[in-house]
Amino acid sequence: MKLSSVVVRWGLGASLVVGVGACSSSRQQVAEQETRPSESLAAYYPLAVGNRWTYRVNGRADRTVDVEVLKEEDGYFHDNQGGQLSVDNFGVRDRKRYLLRGPLAEGNQWTNVVSVSSTERYRILQAGVPCDAPAGSFKHCVRVEARNRVDAQTTLVNALTFAEGVGLVRIEVSAEKSNGERLPQTWLELTSFKLQEPSR
């Protein structure tokens, strides 16, 4: 199995599942948030039909990925990239895994068994910290590391950064060799987003 195909499939399929949008009004909403981070997991991945996020791939202006939520069906929000996301009492999830799971505290860990031969291990590296992306600076973010062993020599490491009121702002995928060396594979960063106004 080619590592590059695994990176694209796991990096985008498991992480870039649903869009998080950007316009000036959305940035203003984020800026006006309370100074205390939310404990609501839904706040770290706002899901609504019409929400959109644009990501720059590997820092190149000519390579972008647009993610837009197209519909809600069977309790999941479906996007134009084939992703399906939902938020339940435990966290933010797709059909096979939790991408973010409470409590939102540094060191919190969980495991997703996605197939007979594939187990993903997640850990919150930081919570309630600021983060930056081309789309803006955000006060309350959560950084998660996901690890999935590809073979005896290689583990795929996926670092995800979620911003409160925005969603997924950064994805960094690297291959970790058995000697601990990490080889960057691909990364995406949020350049713009547009979120629907919350219904009253």
Side-chain angles (χ1 to χ4, degrees):
M1 176 171 11
K2 244 175 122 183
L3 183 59
S4 58
S5 65
V6 175
V7 168
V8 171
R9 187 167 59 249
W10 194 64
L12 289 180
S15 305
L16 239 184
V17 248
V18 135
V20 172
C23 66
S24 57
S25 62
S26 295
R27 287 183 184 156
Q28 184 178 358
Q29 290 169 1
V30 172
E32 292 172 354
Q33 288 175 347
E34 295 180 13
T35 55
R36 236 179 20 185
S38 171
E39 281 301 312
S40 166
L41 291 158
Y44 288 86
Y45 218 132
L47 295 173
V49 173
N51 282 2
R52 304 172 79 183
W53 302 265
T54 298
Y55 296 89
R56 182 168 62 193
V57 181
N58 296 340
R60 292 180 50 178
D62 61 331
R63 292 187 61 196
T64 60
V65 175
D66 294 306
V67 181
E68 180 177 2
V69 181
L70 302 177
K71 65 179 180 177
E72 181 182 5
E73 186 175 276
D74 300 326
Y76 285 85
F77 289 86
H78 299 241
D79 68 34
N80 64 330
Q81 300 293 325
Q84 300 176 29
L85 281 185
S86 180
V87 179
D88 61 22
N89 291 334
F90 298 104
V92 178
R93 62 169 297 134
D94 64 14
R95 297 274 185 181
K96 292 185 174 182
R97 62 182 60 77
Y98 281 95
L99 302 174
L100 182 61
R101 189 165 175 152
L104 296 178
E106 183 178 331
N108 183 31
Q109 300 180 52
W110 63 96
T111 300
N112 296 305
V113 179
V114 296
S115 72
V116 175
S117 60
S118 181
T119 299
E120 300 170 357
R121 291 173 173 78
Y122 289 68
R123 180 168 59 98
I124 294 180
L125 300 178
Q126 294 177 303
V129 297
C131 65
D132 294 301
S137 297
F138 310 103
K139 288 185 178 179
H140 306 298
C141 304
V142 176
R143 291 189 63 237
V144 175
E145 181 182 82
R147 302 173 66 84
N148 187 4
R149 193 164 184 176
V150 177
D151 55 39
Q153 301 299 318
T154 309
T155 297
L156 199 59
V157 181
N158 197 346
L160 313 171
T161 303
F162 299 87
E164 181 184 13
V166 178
L168 195 56
V169 298
R170 191 171 182 86
I171 303 169
E172 299 170 82
V173 182
S174 58
E176 184 177 271
K177 296 300 184 179
S178 55
N179 63 4
E181 179 187 9
R182 281 198 186 183
L183 305 173
Q185 299 295 305
T186 191
W187 54 277
L188 296 92
E189 54 187 358
L190 185 68
T191 59
S192 65
F193 62 98
K194 182 179 179 185
L195 302 178
Q196 300 302 307
E197 291 287 339
S199 52
R200 302 284 179 203

